[in-house]
Amino acid sequence: MSDLFTALKNKLSGQQVKIVFPEGLDERILAAAGRLAQEKLLTPVIIGHNEEVYQKASQLQVELEGAEIVDPASDGRLDELVQSFVERRKGKATEEEARNILMDENYFGTMLVYKGYAEGLVSGAAHSTADTVRPALQIIKTKQGVQKTSGVFIMVRGEEKYVFADCAINIAPDSNDLAEIAIESAKTAEMFDIEPRIAMLSFSTKGSAKSPETEKVAEALRIAKERAPGLAIDGEFQFDAAFVPAVAKKKAPDSIIQGDANVFIFPGLEAGNIGYKIAQRLGNFEAVGPILQGLNAPVNDLSRGCSEEDVYKLALITAAQSLK
């Protein structure tokens, strides 16, 4: 795990990335932001009333030198952000409504990212996933050609690194969704120095069972190959055929994936969520994430049960996602 984050820190060195933290009075957020600022890995942009943030930081003995404190109510960019929000929402909010909406720290922080005042945002320590993701979908939106955002985990154990997707967002993805998740997950893998070898998972290997569920995965494979012909991708696979060379040799001898997959695309959220938690709890893998992918700028969601270390790591990941 230390190697993974050492590599991210090296990538961020000298990049002067700014990451917004909307939950400026949360102890875990402040502690992680202070640490990031001291290490000069990125510039934390903390949303909150100046005096309250500094008072809380003082109580926690956190040094915020190098961080920016931003109060939405008094920020000199508010009028500009209000106007941009009205334009972005295309008439769905009046100027007065927009001004009220932007008093919400997640919306204000997301607008800072949208307007280029920061490169990414980390929230969720004190907010629901919906509170974090909704402003991102309304304002930042998905990249051209991407219909939906998705959530991946990087599973780490010693020198082993794997990508599991989608384990966080899409409950019942269709074939197009799965193809899109596979392509975006390959990009996320590369960010972590994983050369993607992608397995589209199912309860069937290469037609060993026929059902609408297996056909959905087979069609997703076809679409992904058509959209990204350079990817090392195959399916549909049972997990053992994707991961164990001896099983792959028997079940899929002609496949480009011979038990050496490192990016696993689950057929639905049920399977993905269960799968990563089994690997985490029984396999002693550390699950880093969820990392949201497919947005025009990175926004990531913390668990409300997160630790200071979780905030620190997800901020580094978010900053790394912003690098072109």
Side-chain angles (χ1 to χ4, degrees), residues 13-76:
S13 178
Q15 296 292 330
Q16 298 181 319
V17 174
K18 293 186 177 184
I19 298 298
V20 179
F21 296 92
E23 298 157 322
L25 294 180
D26 187 282
E27 294 183 5
R28 299 158 295 175
I29 296 292
L30 281 175
R35 184 174 160 195
L36 291 161
Q38 281 190 324
E39 293 178 2
K40 296 182 168 56
L41 294 170
L42 54 85
T43 300
V45 179
I46 300 168
I47 307 293
H49 298 295
N50 230 293
E51 289 182 11
E52 291 179 358
V53 171
Y54 279 116
Q55 183 179 21
K56 186 75 171 181
S58 177
Q59 290 171 1
L60 299 170
Q61 296 183 310
V62 169
E63 176 57 63
L64 292 180
E65 184 180 354
E68 295 180 10
I69 314 300
V70 176
D71 182 352
S74 60
D75 191 84

Side-chain angles (χ1 to χ4, degrees), residues 228-293:
L231 285 182
I233 182 171
D234 206 358
E236 79 281 9
F237 285 128
Q238 293 160 289
F239 184 83
D240 56 355
F243 191 69
V244 182
V247 178
K249 188 174 181 180
K250 289 180 181 177
K251 292 187 175 183
D254 299 324
S255 174
I256 189 174
I257 303 295
Q258 283 297 303
D260 55 354
N262 50 27
V263 178
F264 299 94
I265 308 304
F266 291 85
L269 185 58
E270 258 187 337
N273 192 270
I274 292 168
Y276 101 79
K277 288 183 182 292
I278 288 174
Q280 181 185 37
R281 300 301 180 180
L282 292 183
N284 294 317
F285 277 84
E286 183 161 355
V288 180
I291 302 164
L292 301 188
Q293 56 188 17

Side-chain angles (χ1 to χ4, degrees), residues 125-180:
H127 289 88
S128 69
T129 294
D131 288 337
T132 300
V133 175
R134 188 184 300 110
L137 294 177
Q138 290 179 353
I139 298 166
I140 293 172
K141 302 186 179 181
T142 54
K143 293 183 286 190
Q144 186 173 3
V146 175
Q147 297 301 310
K148 296 178 180 178
T149 189
S150 52
V152 307
F153 282 86
I154 309 300
M155 308 300 295
V156 183
R157 184 177 65 184
E159 298 298 312
E160 297 175 84
K161 291 186 290 188
Y162 305 103
V163 177
F164 283 17
D166 178 354
C167 303
I169 301 293
N170 296 287
I171 295 173
D174 62 21
S175 295
N176 278 299
D177 297 334
L178 288 175
E180 189 173 272

